[in-house]
Every structure is written in structure tokens, then in C-alpha cells.
Amino acid sequence: MNRVSLWQLLGASSLALSGYAVPAGAQDGPGTEGLENIIVTARRVEERVQDVPISITVHSQEQLTRQNVVNSADLAAFTPSLSANNNFGNENSSFAIRGFVQDLGTLPSVGVYFADVVAPRGVSNGSFPVGDGAGPGSFFDLRNVQVLKGPQGTLFGRNTTGGAVLLVPERPTHEFGGYVQASAGNLDMQRLQGVVNAPLGERAALRLGVDRQTRDGYVDNTSGVGPGDFGDVDYSAYRASLVLELTPEIENYAILSYSESETNGVFGKLVAADAAVGLGFFAAEQLADQEANNEDFYDARQDLADPASELEQWQLVNTTTWQVADDIAFKNIISYAELTNDLRSAMFGTAFITPAIGTLLPSYRVG
């Protein structure tokens, strides 16, 4: 459920560091971090990034971790030409590349792919764009993230007129290992990640991962109705992948991922009103009261008793590869995914509640 906001509050902090963009024909040089070792799948095959004849930006997992990328807005903050619309929360964001924006009621212009398969995403209705497949829990234990700029319809199909974002997960290997990472930050942020990689005999390997993060909201709700803050974080993500070498020439690679997020969501903030038009009188009264109470930039009011942003999704990807010869391979990819989204959000950042008439501006709900 959702509401169209008059003005969207900005996040408490933002990333301003830039990743490295790799244009076609780029050569090694200072700061390129060894381009000859960067392997991408921008053309559906593994090849060196400098051999790809398109504009592409590649971020390794090390870079994502160093920049604390946990959602689409974080990724867009340090990727040239990439922007993210997260007006309705990070669970319901959409990407835009070079001005190709997803308008209300239209399909995405930038596709998001996980393990060569389009990531699960909601259907945009006439009021707001729904999640584009790069929601909470998508940016952990990845080999890299590739941002392809320009139309990609030939290899990636529809909804890629602006470009595509490829999330490439780490594959299981035949070496036992793993890692555990714990972090903390302001607003009581806590995050825990863990990954285990284990060989299962000579022809199989298993990889298990989990990512869990919580954080208090950066917007204080001063209306006394509903939760005390908004813009919070509370998600869990799980991933299991298995590689089976059925024969020396045939390999099966399966990935099962699941994530869930449940927060108070976001809402708009009332910043101006014309007292002579419609309900502007009530809005002007609220603005005067906000000023009298010295409410600051991150204070806002809303009138919904049970706002929430809930997202649950899971996806199964199975890839079978038959290496017929050194230069010939057949690959079959099948996938099934489900996404459930429920958004209930205050529409205009108002709190027009009286005992006699109740709420004057009803909330907008999408299930």
C-alpha cells in the first residue's frame, strides 16, 4: 500500500565515492586494479571486460563491501550514469540509466538480472513503481555487479532500453572456506553476514550464505499516530547454491535464494500549502504547528495507524551446461520466482485527525 508524497525525505547519509567505469577498448593503467583479471558476462559469455564493446561499469564484492552497498540507492550513488528512484522505499526502487526512467504505470527501462535470469519484480501500477529485483539482501556474496549502459534488448530481451544491471553470485568451489562479517553503525545499525563453502566429494560443491541487517529509522514521526520512526531497515536474506559435475562435459548449477523485509516504510513530508485552496487551510495550520514546535528536517507527521512496507521473494535458478567442444557449449537455464509486496504509506505527510470526522485525507493502499 502506498501514497504519492508531496515531497520525499532524503536519507540520513549517502555515498559519494565512484566506482571505475570501463569503456570499450580501455587499457590497463594506474587505478584500474588489473583489468585483465576482470571477467564479465555482458554478452552472455565470460570474457575480459576490455573486450566488451559497450560502456560498462563493474563493481567487485570488495568494492561493494567497502562502500557499504546494501540497496539500489547505494549502488547508484557511486555508479556513473545510474540513478535509483526509491521514493517509496528501497524495497520498491527502480533503476534509470542515462535518463531512461520508468514512468508510473509503465514497465522498467532497466532490467535487473541475477545469475543470468531476470530477477523477480512487481508490476508497476498507475501510482508507483514496484520493486525492480535489487531489493534488500541482493548485494552480498557476489562475484561482481555489472552495469551495462545503453539498449541491451538483443541479448537480454524487453525492458532493457536504458540498460541492464547484472548481479553475479559467487559459485561454489572445491575448497573449504567461508567468512563471517559483523558491522555496526549509527541509528543502532547492526549487520551480520556469513558464508560457508564446502566440497562434497570430487564432483560436487555447496555454498551457503546469510545476510541480516536492522537499523532504526532516520525520520521521527511527531504525530503520535503509528510507529515512532520511518525509513528503518529490517531484512534477512538466504542463499544456497550447488554445483554438480554430472560428467566431465556436463555440469548442473542450482541456486535457491530467499529474502524478506518488513519495515515501517517511508512517507512524504508536508513543506508548503495554499490555505485558500481545498484542504490547504488544514495543511497551513499543520505547518504553523510544526514551526511552533520547532520540528526539524527529519521530523514529519502522518495519519496512518498501521503503515508498513513488506517484501518477500524467493527464486530458484537451475543451469545445465554441456561442453560439446572447446568452442561449442549448450546451456539450458530454467527459473521460477515469486514476489509478494504490501505497502501501506501516508500520502501527503499530513495528520488531519479530529474525533468528529476522523482522517480527512485517506491513505492509499496497495496489496
Side-chain angles (χ1 to χ4, degrees):
M1 175 164 159
N2 185 23
R3 293 185 171 188
V4 179
S5 56
L6 291 180
W7 184 80
Q8 183 60 46
L9 287 170
L10 300 176
S13 61
S14 62
L15 296 176
L17 302 177
S18 61
Y20 53 91
V22 186
Q27 302 296 321
D28 291 347
T32 57
E33 303 185 18
L35 292 181
E36 71 278 0
N37 297 322
I38 300 176
I39 304 299
V40 298
T41 55
R43 295 194 292 180
R44 294 289 192 178
V45 295
E46 293 189 352
E47 55 188 337
R48 301 184 308 166
V49 66
Q50 61 265 44
D51 295 332
V52 181
I54 63 173
S55 178
I56 177 175
T57 299
V58 185
H59 302 297
S60 66
Q61 181 63 65
E62 180 181 356
Q63 289 176 304
L64 298 175
T65 301
R66 186 167 61 244
Q67 309 300 345
N68 193 31
V69 174
V70 296
N71 55 53
S72 55
D74 295 337
L75 180 66
F78 73 111
T79 302
S81 302
L82 179 70
S83 60
N85 177 1
N86 64 339
N87 287 345
F88 300 103
N90 292 318
E91 301 87 349
N92 299 289
S93 61
S94 62
F95 283 120
I97 295 178
R98 295 175 175 174
F100 284 83
V101 180
Q102 178 184 1
D103 202 356
L104 297 180
T106 66
L107 294 173
S109 60
V110 177
V112 178
Y113 292 79
F114 175 79
D116 290 327
V117 175
V118 63
R121 63 190 178 208
V123 178
S124 177
N125 61 21
S127 301
F128 73 102
V130 186
D132 62 2
S138 298
F139 296 96
F140 85 103
D141 198 34
L142 300 176
R143 178 180 297 181
N144 57 49
V145 174
Q146 305 166 34
V147 180
L148 316 183
K149 302 166 187 178
Q152 305 296 323
T154 301
L155 295 176
F156 292 93
R158 63 183 299 182
N159 307 136
T160 57
T161 52
V165 177
L166 313 184
L167 308 179
V168 184
E170 283 284 4
R171 287 169 52 97
T173 66
H174 289 283
E175 295 184 3
F176 182 81
Y179 65 86
V180 175
Q181 293 181 350
S183 55
N186 65 337
L187 298 176
D188 197 26
M189 189 278 284
Q190 301 179 47
R191 187 182 186 189
L192 178 65
Q193 298 179 67
V195 172
V196 175
N197 187 97
L200 303 177
E202 297 182 353
R203 295 190 174 184
L206 176 68
R207 191 176 186 90
L208 304 174
V210 61
D211 182 18
R212 168 71 173 153
Q213 182 176 10
T214 59
R215 188 183 188 187
D216 294 339
Y218 57 86
V219 179
D220 291 326
N221 177 20
T222 61
S223 67
V225 180
D229 59 42
F230 290 84
D232 56 322
V233 177
D234 188 352
Y235 74 82
S236 301
Y238 309 91
R239 188 182 305 153
S241 53
L242 176 68
V243 170
L244 297 176
E245 299 174 4
L246 304 178
T247 72
E249 295 80 22
I250 301 177
E251 176 193 84
N252 185 265
Y253 176 31
I255 306 175
L256 177 62
S257 60
Y258 173 83
S259 65
E260 59 179 353
S261 173
E262 184 173 354
T263 69
N264 299 328
V266 296
F267 66 97
K269 178 176 180 177
L270 184 66
V271 296
D274 186 346
V277 178
L279 297 175
F281 171 79
F282 297 97
E285 288 291 318
Q286 178 178 316
L287 287 172
D289 189 54
Q290 290 176 189
E291 183 177 356
N293 285 278
N294 296 317
E295 296 184 9
D296 61 23
F297 182 80
Y298 290 109
D299 288 335
R301 302 185 182 187
Q302 65 95 50
D303 52 20
L304 193 60
D306 61 341
S309 179
E310 301 170 357
L311 178 69
E312 181 180 20
Q313 65 182 43
W314 67 272
Q315 183 174 28
L316 174 64
V317 181
N318 187 275
T319 303
T320 301
T321 304
W322 176 26
Q323 193 69 41
V324 180
D326 291 341
D327 299 327
I328 302 176
F330 289 100
K331 181 178 289 188
N332 179 68
I333 304 176
I334 60 175
S335 176
Y336 181 83
E338 290 186 1
L339 181 147
T340 303
N341 179 274
D342 187 10
L343 179 60
R344 303 185 299 275
S345 178
M347 181 177 283
F348 298 118
T350 58
F352 302 159
I353 298 178
T354 66
I357 61 177
T359 302
L360 289 178
L361 291 180
S363 63
Y364 182 73
R365 181 184 184 107
V366 172

